[in-house]
Amino acid sequence: MDLNRWLGEATQAVQDWSADFGPYEPHPALKVTDEAFAPVFADFTDRLRDNYPFFHPRYAGQMLKPPHPAAVVGYLTAMLINPNNHALDGGPATARMEREAVAQLAAMFGFDQHLGHLTTSGTIANLEALFVARESHPGKGVAYSAEAHYTHGRMCGVLGMEGHPVPADDAGRIDLLALEEVLSTGRVGTVVLTVGTTGLGAIDPVHQALPLCRRHGARVHVDAAYGGFFTLLAGAEGPEALAPEPWRAIADCDSVVIDPHKHGLQPYGCGAVVFRDPEVGRFYLHDSPYTYFTSTELHLGEISLECSRAGAAAAALWLTFQLLPPTAQGLGRVLAAGRRAALRWAELIDASDLLTLYQQPELDIVSYFPAVEPATLSAIDHASARVLNDGMTARDAIFVSTLRASADAFARRHPKIDRDTDGARILRSVLMKPESEHHVEQLHAAVERLI
C-alpha cells in the first residue's frame, strides 16, 4: 500500500462529504497558519525520535508493533469526522462497522450467537467480563492462574470481588488439581482461563478446565487478549499448527476478551469483549435521556460500561478485516510466521552453548537465559540484565525484554541451577511481527555476541 496516496485520498473523501452540507467560515479562534505550525511540528517529530524501533524485526522486546497501513488509513479517515460509538446518534456508520467486526470475532471463536463490543483496552474488556460475572454470581469470587495478567486481581479489587490466584504448573498453565481445590470451597463463581499469558505465551487447558468448572457451577471467562487470534492456527498443517482442543472449547465458554491492537494489526486502543449469551445485556440496563434518541435499535453504549469510544477504532478494524479477515488464510498467515520464528529460535537456542531455553514456546514468545558458570540464579539475573542493556546501546542495537521468574518456577524447569536467591530475570523475546521469521538468525547471533 502507498500510505501517502491513501492518506491523501482520505482527506479528499472527507472534504467531498463535508461539502454536501454547504460552506461555512471556520472560527478565527481556531486559526493556525502553516508558518506557525511548522516549527512546532518540527519539534514534535524530533521528540518522537525518542522511541524504540517497534516496526523493525530487530525489536523483539514488548508486545508492540505498528498498525497495518489499512488500519492507519481507516482510523485517520474516520477520525477526521470523529464519530463516537457510544450511541448511534454519535456514529451511525462506525457503529455498524463495529457490530460487523465484532461478529467476525465471535464467529472466529465459534459463538453461534453473541453480544459484544469494542473497548479501549484488554483491561477494560476484562473489567466488563468480570462485572457481568459479579452480577451473574453475586457474592462469589474469581479464580485465575497465578500466571494470568495482573489486571484480574486489580479488577477484582475494583469490583469488590474476592480474587483467588491458582498456582501454575511447570509450563506456566493453570494447575487443574489446584483449581479443583479452590472450586471445592464453593467461594468461586467465575474462573478466568488464559490463552496466551503475557509472560510466556502459555495456553491454559480450556478443554480440560471447562467441564471441571461446570461441575462446580462456575462461569468461565477466557482472557485471550494476547493469544486469541492464534485460534486461527488450531488444527492447521505445518510446524505452526496448534492442538485444536483448547481453542475449540472457547465456543462453550461464557465470555472471551481479545485485543485487536496486538495481533489484529490495529492501533491502540482496540480491545473487545464478547459474551456467548446475549441475555447478559440486562446487566448493563440503563437510560440516558439526552443520548439515545434517533433510533430504537440497540446502541452500543447500552451494552458497555464505557461511554465515549472512538468510532475510528471500529473503522480501522472493519477496513483491515475486509482485506485481512480473521481466517486461516487471512490473519492466520501473519500469526503463522511469528510462531514459526519462535520455534526456529528455540531450535537455535537448544543448539547453543551460550544460551538455555527456559521453556518451549507455545505461541510467538521465546524465553531463554545466558548459560553461566557458576549456574546460579543471581548470575543468570546479572547476565540477563546486561544483555538487555548492552543490546540497546550496541552499534547494531537489538531490543529484547526480561521476565522475572521465581526460584520455584526455575526449579521446576531447571532443577540443577543453584537457587541462591528468590528468583532471576530471564530474557524474553516477542516475535509478533511476521518479518521476524526472516530475521531470527540475526537476532540469535546478536544475542550470542552480547553474551
Side-chain angles (χ1 to χ4, degrees), residues 276-290:
R276 185 164 56 93
D277 180 9
E279 290 299 314
V280 301
R282 68 188 184 277
F283 298 125
Y284 289 96
L285 189 63
H286 70 282
D287 188 28
S288 178
Y290 52 84

Side-chain angles (χ1 to χ4, degrees), residues 121-281:
S121 68
T123 299
I124 298 301
N126 277 308
L127 171 64
E128 296 220 13
L130 295 186
F131 161 73
V132 168
R134 185 190 69 181
E135 300 303 296
S136 302
H137 291 72
K140 298 280 189 174
V142 177
Y144 45 85
S145 167
E147 296 286 335
H149 197 278
Y150 63 83
T151 192
H152 298 292
R154 293 179 69 185
M155 292 307 133
C156 282
V158 169
L159 292 165
M161 304 170 75
E162 187 177 20
H164 301 269
V166 178
D169 64 16
D170 57 5
R173 307 163 186 158
I174 195 166
D175 186 297
L176 294 180
L177 291 177
L179 175 61
E180 183 165 27
E181 186 176 335
V182 171
L183 286 169
S184 66
T185 66
R187 295 160 59 190
V188 171
T190 297
V191 173
V192 176
L193 301 173
T194 304
V195 290
T197 59
T198 48
L200 297 168
I203 304 166
D204 283 344
V206 182
H207 57 301
Q208 295 172 326
L210 181 61
L212 171 62
C213 296
R214 295 305 191 215
R215 285 200 299 273
H216 290 271
R219 184 181 184 84
V220 178
H221 167 59
V222 177
D223 182 356
Y226 185 74
F229 284 105
F230 280 95
T231 190
L232 301 173
L233 304 184
E237 296 181 357
E240 66 270 20
L242 292 166
E245 291 83 5
W247 307 96
R248 300 288 184 260
I250 295 175
D252 295 317
C253 295
D254 298 288
S255 55
V256 62
V257 155
I258 189 170
D259 272 355
H261 63 217
K262 292 189 172 77
H263 288 102
L265 308 178
Q266 299 304 294
Y268 289 108
C270 185
V273 60
V274 186
F275 299 97
R276 185 164 56 93
D277 180 9
E279 290 299 314
V280 301

Side-chain angles (χ1 to χ4, degrees), residues 318-385:
W318 182 90
L319 186 58
T320 305
F321 277 1
Q322 303 312 297
L323 302 159
L324 293 168
T327 62
Q329 293 304 311
L331 275 175
R333 296 174 62 200
V334 179
L335 279 290
R339 176 154 158 76
R340 287 194 299 264
L343 295 174
R344 173 59 181 150
W345 200 350
E347 290 176 353
L348 293 171
I349 292 169
D350 270 338
S352 173
D353 294 328
L354 300 174
L355 291 167
T356 302
L357 194 64
Y358 180 70
Q359 74 171 47
Q360 183 70 16
E362 291 196 71
L363 298 180
D364 58 4
I365 299 175
V366 185
S367 54
Y368 53 104
F369 56 90
V372 295
E373 289 294 341
T376 65
L377 289 182
S378 58
I380 289 171
D381 181 82
H382 177 77
S384 297

Side-chain angles (χ1 to χ4, degrees), residues 18-36:
S18 301
D20 291 343
F21 298 93
Y24 71 99
E25 188 68 29
H27 196 281
L30 298 173
K31 184 177 181 180
V32 174
T33 65
D34 288 338
E35 291 74 18

